[in-house]
Coordinates of all heavy atoms in Angstrom, one line a residue:
M7 N 283.3 105.2 -13.0 CA 283.2 106.6 -12.9 C 284.0 107.2 -14.1 O 285.1 106.8 -14.4 CB 283.9 107.1 -11.6 CG 283.7 108.6 -11.4 SD 284.3 109.2 -9.8 CE 284.2 107.9 -8.6
N8 N 283.3 108.2 -14.8 CA 284.0 108.7 -16.0 C 285.0 109.9 -15.6 O 285.0 110.3 -14.4 CB 283.0 109.2 -17.0 CG 282.1 110.4 -16.5 OD1 282.6 111.2 -15.8 ND2 280.9 110.4 -17.0
E9 N 285.7 110.3 -16.5 CA 286.8 111.3 -16.3 C 286.2 112.6 -15.6 O 286.8 113.1 -14.7 CB 287.5 111.6 -17.6 CG 288.7 112.6 -17.4 CD 289.4 112.8 -18.7 OE1 289.0 112.4 -19.8 OE2 290.4 113.5 -18.6
I10 N 285.1 113.1 -16.1 CA 284.6 114.3 -15.6 C 284.1 114.2 -14.1 O 284.3 115.1 -13.3 CB 283.5 115.0 -16.5 CG1 283.3 116.4 -16.1 CG2 282.2 114.2 -16.4 CD1 282.6 117.2 -17.2
Q11 N 283.6 113.0 -13.8 CA 283.2 112.8 -12.4 C 284.4 112.7 -11.5 O 284.3 113.2 -10.4 CB 282.4 111.5 -12.3 CG 281.0 111.6 -12.9 CD 280.3 110.2 -13.0 OE1 280.9 109.2 -13.2 NE2 279.0 110.3 -12.8
T12 N 285.4 112.1 -12.0 CA 286.7 112.0 -11.2 C 287.2 113.4 -10.9 O 287.6 113.7 -9.8 CB 287.7 111.1 -11.9 OG1 287.2 109.8 -12.1 CG2 289.0 111.1 -11.1
L13 N 287.3 114.2 -12.0 CA 287.8 115.6 -11.8 C 286.9 116.4 -10.9 O 287.4 117.2 -10.0 CB 287.9 116.2 -13.2 CG 288.9 115.6 -14.1 CD1 288.8 116.2 -15.5 CD2 290.3 115.9 -13.6
R14 N 285.6 116.2 -11.0 CA 284.7 117.0 -10.1 C 284.8 116.6 -8.7 O 284.7 117.4 -7.8 CB 283.2 116.8 -10.6 CG 283.0 117.6 -11.9 CD 281.6 117.4 -12.4 NE 281.3 118.3 -13.5 CZ 280.3 118.2 -14.3 NH1 279.4 117.2 -14.2 NH2 280.1 119.0 -15.3
R15 N 285.0 115.3 -8.4 CA 285.3 114.9 -7.0 C 286.5 115.5 -6.5 O 286.6 115.9 -5.3 CB 285.3 113.4 -7.0 CG 284.0 112.7 -7.1 CD 284.1 111.2 -6.9 NE 282.8 110.6 -7.3 CZ 281.9 110.1 -6.5 NH1 282.1 110.2 -5.2 NH2 280.8 109.6 -7.0
K16 N 287.5 115.6 -7.3 CA 288.8 116.3 -6.8 C 288.5 117.7 -6.5 O 289.0 118.3 -5.6 CB 289.9 116.1 -7.9 CG 290.4 114.7 -8.0 CD 291.5 114.6 -9.0 CE 292.0 113.1 -9.1 NZ 293.0 113.0 -10.2
I17 N 287.7 118.4 -7.4 CA 287.4 119.8 -7.2 C 286.6 119.9 -5.9 O 286.8 120.8 -5.1 CB 286.6 120.4 -8.4 CG1 287.6 120.5 -9.6 CG2 285.9 121.7 -8.1 CD1 286.9 120.9 -10.9
D18 N 285.6 119.0 -5.7 CA 284.8 119.1 -4.5 C 285.7 119.0 -3.2 O 285.4 119.6 -2.2 CB 283.8 117.9 -4.5 CG 282.7 118.1 -5.5 OD1 282.5 119.2 -6.0 OD2 282.0 117.1 -5.8
A19 N 286.7 118.1 -3.3 CA 287.6 118.0 -2.1 C 288.4 119.2 -1.9 O 288.6 119.7 -0.7 CB 288.6 116.8 -2.3
I20 N 288.8 119.9 -2.9 CA 289.5 121.1 -2.8 C 288.6 122.2 -2.3 O 289.0 123.0 -1.4 CB 290.2 121.5 -4.2 CG1 291.3 120.6 -4.5 CG2 290.7 123.0 -4.1 CD1 291.9 120.7 -5.9
D21 N 287.4 122.2 -2.8 CA 286.4 123.2 -2.3 C 286.1 123.1 -0.8 O 286.0 124.1 -0.1 CB 285.0 123.0 -3.1 CG 285.1 123.6 -4.5 OD1 286.1 124.2 -4.9 OD2 284.2 123.3 -5.3
Q22 N 286.1 121.9 -0.3 CA 286.0 121.6 1.1 C 287.1 122.3 1.9 O 286.9 122.9 2.9 CB 285.8 120.2 1.5 CG 285.7 119.9 2.9 CD 284.4 120.5 3.5 OE1 283.3 120.3 3.0 NE2 284.5 121.3 4.6
Q23 N 288.3 122.0 1.4 CA 289.5 122.6 2.0 C 289.5 124.1 2.0 O 289.8 124.8 3.0 CB 290.8 122.1 1.4 CG 291.1 120.7 1.6 CD 292.3 120.2 0.7 OE1 292.9 121.0 0.0 NE2 292.6 118.9 0.8
M24 N 289.1 124.7 0.9 CA 289.0 126.1 0.7 C 287.9 126.7 1.7 O 288.1 127.8 2.2 CB 288.7 126.5 -0.7 CG 289.9 126.3 -1.6 SD 289.5 126.6 -3.4 CE 289.1 128.3 -3.4
S25 N 286.8 126.0 1.8 CA 285.8 126.4 2.7 C 286.3 126.5 4.2 O 286.0 127.4 4.9 CB 284.6 125.5 2.6 OG 283.5 125.9 3.5
D26 N 287.0 125.4 4.6 CA 287.6 125.4 5.9 C 288.5 126.6 6.1 O 288.5 127.2 7.1 CB 288.3 124.1 6.2 CG 287.3 122.9 6.2 OD1 286.1 123.1 6.3 OD2 287.8 121.7 6.0
L27 N 289.4 126.8 5.1 CA 290.4 127.9 5.2 C 289.7 129.2 5.2 O 290.1 130.2 5.9 CB 291.4 127.7 4.1 CG 292.3 126.6 4.2 CD1 293.2 126.4 2.9 CD2 293.3 126.7 5.4
F28 N 288.6 129.4 4.4 CA 287.9 130.6 4.4 C 287.3 130.9 5.7 O 287.5 132.1 6.2 CB 286.8 130.5 3.3 CG 285.9 131.8 3.3 CD1 286.3 132.9 2.7 CD2 284.6 131.7 3.9 CE1 285.5 134.1 2.7 CE2 283.8 132.9 4.0 CZ 284.2 134.0 3.3
C29 N 286.7 130.0 6.4 CA 286.2 130.2 7.7 C 287.3 130.6 8.7 O 287.1 131.5 9.6 CB 285.4 129.0 8.2 SG 283.9 128.7 7.3
Q30 N 288.4 129.9 8.7 CA 289.5 130.2 9.5 C 290.0 131.7 9.3 O 290.3 132.4 10.2 CB 290.7 129.3 9.3 CG 290.5 127.9 9.8 CD 291.6 127.0 9.5 OE1 292.8 127.3 9.5 NE2 291.3 125.7 9.1
R31 N 290.1 132.0 8.0 CA 290.5 133.4 7.6 C 289.6 134.4 8.2 O 290.0 135.5 8.7 CB 290.7 133.5 6.1 CG 291.3 134.8 5.7 CD 291.3 134.9 4.1 NE 292.2 135.9 3.7 CZ 292.0 137.2 3.7 NH1 290.8 137.7 4.2 NH2 292.9 138.1 3.2
M32 N 288.3 134.2 8.0 CA 287.3 135.1 8.4 C 287.2 135.3 9.9 O 286.9 136.3 10.5 CB 285.9 134.8 7.8 CG 285.9 134.9 6.3 SD 286.4 136.5 5.7 CE 284.8 137.4 5.8
E33 N 287.5 134.2 10.7 CA 287.7 134.4 12.1 C 288.8 135.3 12.5 O 288.6 136.1 13.4 CB 287.9 133.0 12.7 CG 286.7 132.1 12.7 CD 287.0 130.6 13.2 OE1 288.1 130.3 13.6 OE2 286.0 129.8 13.1
L34 N 289.9 135.2 11.8 CA 291.0 136.2 12.0 C 290.6 137.6 11.6 O 291.0 138.6 12.2 CB 292.2 135.7 11.3 CG 292.8 134.4 11.8 CD1 293.9 133.9 10.9 CD2 293.4 134.6 13.2
V35 N 289.9 137.7 10.5 CA 289.4 139.0 10.0 C 288.5 139.6 11.1 O 288.6 140.8 11.4 CB 288.6 138.9 8.7 CG1 287.8 140.1 8.4 CG2 289.5 138.5 7.6
R36 N 287.7 138.8 11.8 CA 286.9 139.3 12.9 C 287.7 139.9 14.0 O 287.5 140.9 14.5 CB 286.0 138.2 13.4 CG 285.1 138.6 14.6 CD 284.5 137.4 15.3 NE 285.5 136.5 15.8 CZ 285.5 135.2 15.6 NH1 284.5 134.6 15.1 NH2 286.5 134.5 16.1
D37 N 288.8 139.1 14.3 CA 289.7 139.6 15.4 C 290.4 140.9 15.0 O 290.6 141.8 15.8 CB 290.7 138.5 15.7 CG 290.1 137.2 16.3 OD1 288.9 137.3 16.7 OD2 290.8 136.2 16.2
V38 N 290.8 141.0 13.7 CA 291.4 142.2 13.2 C 290.4 143.4 13.3 O 290.8 144.5 13.8 CB 291.9 142.1 11.7 CG1 292.2 143.4 11.1 CG2 293.1 141.1 11.7
A39 N 289.2 143.1 13.0 CA 288.1 144.2 13.1 C 288.0 144.7 14.6 O 287.9 145.9 14.8 CB 286.8 143.7 12.6
K40 N 288.1 143.8 15.5 CA 288.0 144.2 16.9 C 289.2 145.0 17.3 O 289.0 146.0 18.0 CB 287.8 142.9 17.8 CG 286.5 142.2 17.6 CD 286.4 141.0 18.4 CE 285.1 140.3 18.2 NZ 285.0 139.0 18.9
V41 N 290.4 144.7 16.9 CA 291.5 145.4 17.2 C 291.4 146.8 16.5 O 291.7 147.8 17.2 CB 292.8 144.7 16.7 CG1 294.0 145.6 16.8 CG2 293.0 143.4 17.5
K42 N 291.0 146.9 15.2 CA 290.9 148.1 14.6 C 289.9 149.0 15.3 O 290.1 150.2 15.4 CB 290.4 147.9 13.1 CG 291.5 147.4 12.2 CD 291.0 147.2 10.8 CE 292.1 146.8 9.8 NZ 291.6 146.6 8.5
L43 N 288.8 148.4 15.8 CA 287.8 149.2 16.5 C 288.4 149.8 17.7 O 288.2 151.0 18.0 CB 286.6 148.3 16.8 CG 285.4 148.9 17.5 CD1 284.8 149.9 16.5 CD2 284.4 147.8 17.8
N44 N 289.2 149.0 18.5 CA 289.8 149.5 19.7 C 290.8 150.6 19.5 O 291.0 151.5 20.3 CB 290.4 148.3 20.5 CG 289.4 147.4 21.1 OD1 288.3 147.8 21.4 ND2 289.8 146.2 21.3
L45 N 291.5 150.5 18.3 CA 292.6 151.4 18.0 C 292.0 152.6 17.1 O 292.8 153.5 16.7 CB 293.7 150.7 17.2 CG 294.5 149.7 18.0 CD1 295.5 149.0 17.1 CD2 295.1 150.3 19.2
N46 N 290.7 152.5 16.8 CA 290.1 153.5 15.9 C 290.8 153.6 14.6 O 291.1 154.7 14.1 CB 290.0 154.9 16.7 CG 289.0 155.8 16.0 OD1 288.0 155.4 15.5 ND2 289.3 157.1 16.1
C47 N 291.1 152.5 14.0 CA 291.7 152.4 12.7 C 290.7 152.2 11.6 O 289.6 151.7 11.8 CB 292.7 151.2 12.6 SG 294.1 151.3 13.7
A48 N 291.0 152.7 10.4 CA 290.2 152.5 9.2 C 290.2 151.0 8.8 O 291.1 150.3 9.0 CB 290.7 153.3 8.1
I49 N 289.1 150.6 8.2 CA 288.9 149.3 7.7 C 289.9 149.1 6.5 O 290.6 148.1 6.5 CB 287.5 149.0 7.3 CG1 286.6 148.9 8.6 CG2 287.4 147.7 6.6 CD1 285.1 148.8 8.3
Y50 N 289.8 150.0 5.6 CA 290.6 149.9 4.3 C 292.0 150.3 4.6 O 292.3 151.4 5.0 CB 289.9 150.7 3.2 CG 290.7 150.6 1.9 CD1 290.8 149.4 1.2 CD2 291.2 151.8 1.4 CE1 291.4 149.4 0.0 CE2 291.9 151.7 0.1 CZ 292.0 150.5 -0.5 OH 292.6 150.4 -1.7
D51 N 293.0 149.5 4.2 CA 294.4 149.8 4.3 C 295.0 149.5 2.9 O 295.3 148.3 2.5 CB 295.1 148.9 5.3 CG 296.5 149.2 5.5 OD1 297.1 149.8 4.6 OD2 297.1 148.8 6.5
K52 N 295.0 150.5 2.1 CA 295.5 150.4 0.7 C 296.8 149.7 0.5 O 297.0 148.8 -0.3 CB 295.5 151.7 0.0 CG 295.9 151.7 -1.4 CD 296.0 153.1 -2.1 CE 296.4 153.0 -3.5 NZ 296.5 154.2 -4.2
R53 N 297.8 150.1 1.3 CA 299.1 149.5 1.3 C 299.1 148.0 1.6 O 299.7 147.2 0.9 CB 300.1 150.2 2.2 CG 301.5 150.1 1.8 CD 302.4 151.0 2.5 NE 301.8 152.0 3.3 CZ 302.4 152.7 4.3 NH1 303.7 152.5 4.5 NH2 301.8 153.6 5.0
R54 N 298.3 147.6 2.6 CA 298.2 146.2 2.9 C 297.6 145.4 1.8 O 298.1 144.3 1.4 CB 297.4 146.1 4.2 CG 296.9 144.7 4.5 CD 298.0 143.7 5.0 NE 297.4 142.4 5.3 CZ 298.1 141.3 5.2 NH1 299.3 141.3 4.9 NH2 297.5 140.2 5.6
E55 N 296.5 145.9 1.2 CA 295.9 145.2 0.1 C 296.8 145.1 -1.1 O 296.8 144.1 -1.8 CB 294.5 145.8 -0.2 CG 293.5 145.6 1.0 CD 292.1 145.8 0.6 OE1 291.8 145.8 -0.6 OE2 291.3 145.8 1.5
E56 N 297.5 146.1 -1.4 CA 298.4 146.1 -2.5 C 299.5 145.0 -2.3 O 299.9 144.3 -3.2 CB 299.1 147.5 -2.8 CG 298.1 148.5 -3.4 CD 298.7 149.9 -3.4 OE1 299.8 150.1 -2.8 OE2 298.1 150.7 -4.1
T57 N 300.0 144.9 -1.1 CA 301.0 143.9 -0.7 C 300.4 142.5 -0.9 O 301.1 141.6 -1.4 CB 301.5 144.1 0.7 OG1 302.1 145.4 0.8 CG2 302.5 143.1 1.1
V58 N 299.2 142.3 -0.4 CA 298.5 141.0 -0.5 C 298.4 140.6 -2.0 O 298.7 139.4 -2.3 CB 297.2 141.0 0.2 CG1 296.4 139.7 -0.1 CG2 297.4 141.1 1.7
I59 N 298.0 141.5 -2.8 CA 297.8 141.2 -4.2 C 299.1 140.9 -4.9 O 299.3 139.9 -5.6 CB 297.1 142.4 -5.0 CG1 295.7 142.5 -4.4 CG2 297.1 142.1 -6.5 CD1 294.8 141.3 -4.6
K60 N 300.1 141.7 -4.6 CA 301.5 141.5 -5.2 C 302.0 140.1 -4.8 O 302.5 139.3 -5.6 CB 302.4 142.6 -4.7 CG 303.8 142.4 -5.2 CD 304.7 143.6 -4.7 CE 306.1 143.5 -5.1 NZ 306.9 142.6 -4.4
E61 N 301.9 139.8 -3.5 CA 302.4 138.5 -3.0 C 301.6 137.3 -3.6 O 302.1 136.3 -3.9 CB 302.4 138.4 -1.5 CG 303.4 139.4 -0.9 CD 303.4 139.4 0.6 OE1 302.5 138.9 1.2 OE2 304.3 140.1 1.2
A62 N 300.3 137.5 -3.8 CA 299.4 136.4 -4.4 C 299.9 136.2 -5.8 O 300.0 135.0 -6.2 CB 298.0 136.8 -4.3
R63 N 300.1 137.2 -6.5 CA 300.6 137.1 -7.9 C 301.9 136.3 -8.0 O 302.1 135.5 -8.8 CB 300.7 138.4 -8.6 CG 299.4 139.0 -9.1 CD 299.7 140.4 -9.7 NE 298.6 140.9 -10.4 CZ 298.3 140.6 -11.7 NH1 299.1 139.8 -12.4 NH2 297.2 141.1 -12.3
E64 N 302.8 136.7 -7.0 CA 304.1 136.1 -7.0 C 304.1 134.6 -6.6 O 304.9 133.8 -7.1 CB 305.0 136.8 -6.1 CG 305.4 138.2 -6.6 CD 306.1 139.1 -5.5 OE1 306.3 138.7 -4.4 OE2 306.5 140.2 -5.9
R65 N 303.1 134.2 -5.8 CA 303.0 132.9 -5.3 C 302.4 132.0 -6.4 O 302.5 130.8 -6.4 CB 302.1 132.8 -4.1 CG 302.8 133.1 -2.8 CD 302.0 132.7 -1.6 NE 300.7 133.3 -1.6 CZ 300.4 134.4 -1.0 NH1 301.3 135.1 -0.3 NH2 299.1 134.9 -1.0
C66 N 301.7 132.6 -7.3 CA 301.0 131.8 -8.4 C 302.0 131.3 -9.3 O 302.8 132.0 -10.0 CB 300.0 132.7 -9.1 SG 299.0 131.8 -10.3
G67 N 302.1 129.9 -9.4 CA 303.1 129.3 -10.2 C 302.8 129.3 -11.7 O 303.7 128.8 -12.5
C68 N 301.7 129.8 -12.1 CA 301.3 129.7 -13.5 C 301.0 131.1 -14.0 O 300.1 131.8 -13.5 CB 300.0 128.8 -13.6 SG 299.5 128.7 -15.3
D69 N 301.8 131.6 -14.9 CA 301.7 133.0 -15.4 C 300.3 133.3 -15.9 O 299.8 134.4 -15.7 CB 302.7 133.3 -16.5 CG 304.1 133.3 -15.9 OD1 304.3 133.5 -14.7 OD2 305.1 133.3 -16.8
E70 N 299.7 132.3 -16.6 CA 298.4 132.6 -17.2 C 297.3 132.7 -16.1 O 296.2 133.2 -16.4 CB 298.0 131.6 -18.2 CG 297.6 130.2 -17.7 CD 297.1 129.2 -18.8 OE1 296.3 129.6 -19.6 OE2 297.7 128.1 -18.8
L71 N 297.6 132.3 -14.9 CA 296.5 132.4 -13.8 C 296.8 133.6 -12.9 O 295.9 133.8 -12.0 CB 296.5 131.1 -13.0 CG 296.1 129.8 -13.8 CD1 296.2 128.6 -12.9 CD2 294.7 130.0 -14.4
Q72 N 297.8 134.3 -13.0 CA 298.1 135.4 -12.1 C 297.0 136.4 -12.0 O 296.7 136.9 -10.9 CB 299.4 136.1 -12.5 CG 300.7 135.3 -12.1 CD 302.0 136.1 -12.4 OE1 301.9 137.2 -12.9 NE2 303.1 135.5 -12.0
A73 N 296.4 136.8 -13.1 CA 295.3 137.8 -13.1 C 294.1 137.2 -12.4 O 293.4 137.9 -11.6 CB 295.0 138.2 -14.5
Y74 N 293.9 135.9 -12.5 CA 292.7 135.3 -11.8 C 293.0 135.2 -10.4 O 292.1 135.4 -9.5 CB 292.4 133.9 -12.4 CG 292.0 134.0 -13.9 CD1 292.9 133.7 -14.9 CD2 290.7 134.4 -14.2 CE1 292.5 133.7 -16.2 CE2 290.3 134.4 -15.6 CZ 291.3 134.1 -16.6 OH 290.9 134.2 -17.9
Q75 N 294.2 134.9 -10.0 CA 294.6 134.8 -8.6 C 294.5 136.2 -8.0 O 293.9 136.3 -6.9 CB 296.1 134.4 -8.5 CG 296.7 134.4 -7.1 CD 296.8 133.0 -6.5 OE1 296.1 132.1 -6.8 NE2 297.7 132.9 -5.6
A76 N 294.9 137.2 -8.7 CA 294.7 138.6 -8.1 C 293.3 138.9 -8.0 O 292.9 139.5 -6.9 CB 295.4 139.6 -9.1
A77 N 292.4 138.6 -8.9 CA 291.0 138.9 -8.8 C 290.4 138.1 -7.7 O 289.5 138.7 -6.9 CB 290.3 138.5 -10.1
F78 N 290.8 136.9 -7.5 CA 290.3 136.1 -6.3 C 290.6 136.8 -5.0 O 289.8 136.9 -4.1 CB 290.9 134.7 -6.4 CG 290.6 133.8 -5.2 CD1 289.4 133.2 -5.0 CD2 291.6 133.6 -4.2 CE1 289.1 132.4 -3.9 CE2 291.3 132.8 -3.1 CZ 290.1 132.2 -3.0
F79 N 291.9 137.2 -4.9 CA 292.2 137.9 -3.6 C 291.6 139.3 -3.5 O 291.2 139.6 -2.3 CB 293.8 138.0 -3.5 CG 294.3 136.7 -2.9 CD1 294.7 135.6 -3.7 CD2 294.5 136.6 -1.5 CE1 295.2 134.5 -3.2 CE2 295.0 135.4 -1.0 CZ 295.3 134.3 -1.8
L80 N 291.4 140.0 -4.6 CA 290.7 141.2 -4.5 C 289.3 141.0 -3.9 O 288.8 141.8 -3.1 CB 290.6 141.9 -5.8 CG 291.8 142.7 -6.3 CD1 291.7 143.1 -7.8 CD2 292.0 143.9 -5.4
H81 N 288.6 140.0 -4.4 CA 287.2 139.7 -4.0 C 287.3 139.2 -2.5 O 286.4 139.6 -1.7 CB 286.6 138.7 -4.9 CG 285.1 138.5 -4.6 ND1 284.2 139.4 -4.8 CD2 284.5 137.4 -4.0 CE1 283.0 139.0 -4.4 NE2 283.2 137.8 -3.9
L82 N 288.2 138.4 -2.2 CA 288.3 137.9 -0.8 C 288.5 139.1 0.2 O 287.9 139.2 1.2 CB 289.5 136.9 -0.7 CG 289.7 136.3 0.6 CD1 288.5 135.5 1.1 CD2 290.9 135.3 0.5
M83 N 289.4 140.1 -0.2 CA 289.6 141.2 0.7 C 288.3 142.1 0.7 O 288.1 142.7 1.8 CB 290.8 142.0 0.2 CG 292.1 141.2 0.5 SD 293.6 142.1 0.1 CE 293.5 142.2 -1.6
K84 N 287.6 142.2 -0.4 CA 286.3 142.9 -0.3 C 285.4 142.3 0.7 O 284.7 143.0 1.5 CB 285.7 143.0 -1.7 CG 284.3 143.5 -1.8 CD 284.2 145.0 -1.6 CE 282.8 145.5 -2.0 NZ 281.8 145.5 -0.9
L85 N 285.3 141.0 0.6 CA 284.4 140.3 1.6 C 284.9 140.5 3.0 O 284.1 140.7 3.9 CB 284.4 138.8 1.3 CG 283.7 138.3 0.0 CD1 284.0 136.8 -0.2 CD2 282.3 138.6 0.1
S86 N 286.2 140.5 3.2 CA 286.8 140.8 4.5 C 286.5 142.2 5.0 O 286.1 142.3 6.2 CB 288.3 140.6 4.5 OG 288.6 139.2 4.2
R87 N 286.6 143.2 4.1 CA 286.2 144.5 4.5 C 284.7 144.6 4.9 O 284.4 145.3 5.9 CB 286.5 145.5 3.4 CG 288.0 145.8 3.2 CD 288.2 147.0 2.3 NE 287.5 147.0 1.1 CZ 288.0 146.5 0.0 NH1 289.2 145.9 -0.1 NH2 287.3 146.5 -1.2
D88 N 283.9 144.0 4.1 CA 282.5 144.0 4.4 C 282.2 143.4 5.7 O 281.3 143.9 6.5 CB 281.7 143.2 3.3 CG 281.7 143.9 1.9 OD1 282.1 145.1 1.9 OD2 281.3 143.3 0.9
Y89 N 282.8 142.3 6.0 CA 282.6 141.6 7.3 C 283.1 142.5 8.4 O 282.5 142.6 9.5 CB 283.3 140.2 7.3 CG 283.1 139.4 8.5 CD1 281.9 139.3 9.2 CD2 284.2 138.7 9.1 CE1 281.7 138.5 10.3 CE2 284.0 137.9 10.2 CZ 282.8 137.8 10.8 OH 282.6 137.1 11.9
Q90 N 284.3 143.1 8.3 CA 284.8 144.0 9.3 C 283.8 145.2 9.5 O 283.6 145.5 10.7 CB 286.2 144.6 8.9 CG 287.3 143.6 9.0 CD 288.6 144.2 8.7 OE1 288.9 145.4 8.8 NE2 289.5 143.4 8.1
Q91 N 283.3 145.7 8.4 CA 282.3 146.8 8.5 C 281.1 146.4 9.4 O 280.7 147.1 10.2 CB 281.9 147.3 7.1 CG 280.9 148.4 7.2 CD 281.5 149.7 7.7 OE1 282.7 150.0 7.4 NE2 280.8 150.4 8.5
S92 N 280.6 145.2 9.1 CA 279.5 144.7 9.9 C 279.8 144.5 11.3 O 278.9 144.8 12.2 CB 278.9 143.4 9.3 OG 279.8 142.3 9.6
I93 N 281.0 144.1 11.7 CA 281.4 144.0 13.1 C 281.6 145.3 13.7 O 281.1 145.6 14.8 CB 282.7 143.2 13.1 CG1 282.4 141.7 12.8 CG2 283.3 143.2 14.6 CD1 283.6 140.9 12.5
M94 N 282.2 146.2 13.0 CA 282.5 147.5 13.6 C 281.3 148.4 13.8 O 281.3 149.3 14.6 CB 283.6 148.2 12.8 CG 285.0 147.5 12.9 SD 286.2 148.1 11.8 CE 286.8 149.5 12.8
T95 N 280.3 148.2 13.0 CA 279.1 149.0 13.1 C 278.1 148.4 14.2 O 277.1 149.1 14.5 CB 278.3 149.2 11.8 OG1 278.1 147.9 11.2 CG2 279.2 150.0 10.8
Q96 N 278.4 147.2 14.6 CA 277.6 146.6 15.7 C 277.8 147.2 17.1 O 277.0 147.2 17.9 CB 277.8 145.1 15.8 CG 277.3 144.3 14.7 CD 277.6 142.8 14.8 OE1 278.3 142.4 15.8 NE2 277.3 142.1 13.8
K97 N 279.0 147.8 17.2 CA 279.4 148.3 18.5 C 278.8 149.7 18.8 O 278.5 150.5 18.0 CB 281.0 148.4 18.6 CG 281.6 147.1 18.4 CD 281.4 146.1 19.5 CE 282.0 144.8 19.2 NZ 281.8 143.8 20.1

């Protein structure tokens, strides 16, 4: 196996872990949507999202990747809001 294949296999293994974690996260997002629906809360919480981004940047051990980490979490939260919206409009 050449070097690129070895690296790609490692990436594939990480992708599997990320996929599993994504599904777990989205299950919790679903539960949050149900609570928000019962409490008549807005989907978007600016302060919460700012905190998540700040903490993601701080957890990133590599300065050159902080902006990418922030972008990743921004997109993840957008997906979460979209999913919450789909749940809350079903009721």
Side-chain angles (χ1 to χ4, degrees):
M7 187 177 329
N8 67 32
E9 183 179 5
I10 197 159
Q11 289 173 324
T12 300
L13 293 169
R14 285 179 175 165
R15 285 184 192 258
K16 289 178 181 180
I17 289 171
D18 291 345
I20 291 169
D21 287 349
Q22 180 62 54
Q23 293 173 359
M24 289 175 63
S25 180
D26 294 342
L27 291 171
F28 175 78
C29 290
Q30 290 176 37
R31 187 183 197 284
M32 294 304 274
E33 288 172 5
L34 293 169
V35 166
R36 179 193 59 225
D37 295 342
V38 167
K40 291 176 182 179
V41 170
K42 286 180 177 180
L43 187 61
N44 288 334
L45 297 175
N46 199 29
C47 293
I49 292 171
Y50 179 65
D51 182 341
K52 180 180 179 182
R53 205 171 345 167
R54 166 71 177 153
E55 292 199 14
E56 287 172 347
T57 299
V58 169
I59 295 300
K60 179 180 179 281
E61 290 175 355
R63 282 181 168 273
E64 290 171 356
R65 280 192 305 267
C66 188
C68 180
D69 289 344
E70 75 176 309
L71 295 179
Q72 283 185 356
Y74 297 102
Q75 175 105 332
F78 172 77
F79 274 88
L80 280 169
H81 188 67
L82 184 59
M83 288 185 293
K84 168 74 168 88
L85 293 172
S86 297
R87 285 193 311 272
D88 291 349
Y89 184 41
Q90 286 183 30
Q91 182 66 41
S92 74
I93 290 165
M94 293 172 81
T95 56
Q96 289 176 2
K97 304 291 177 180

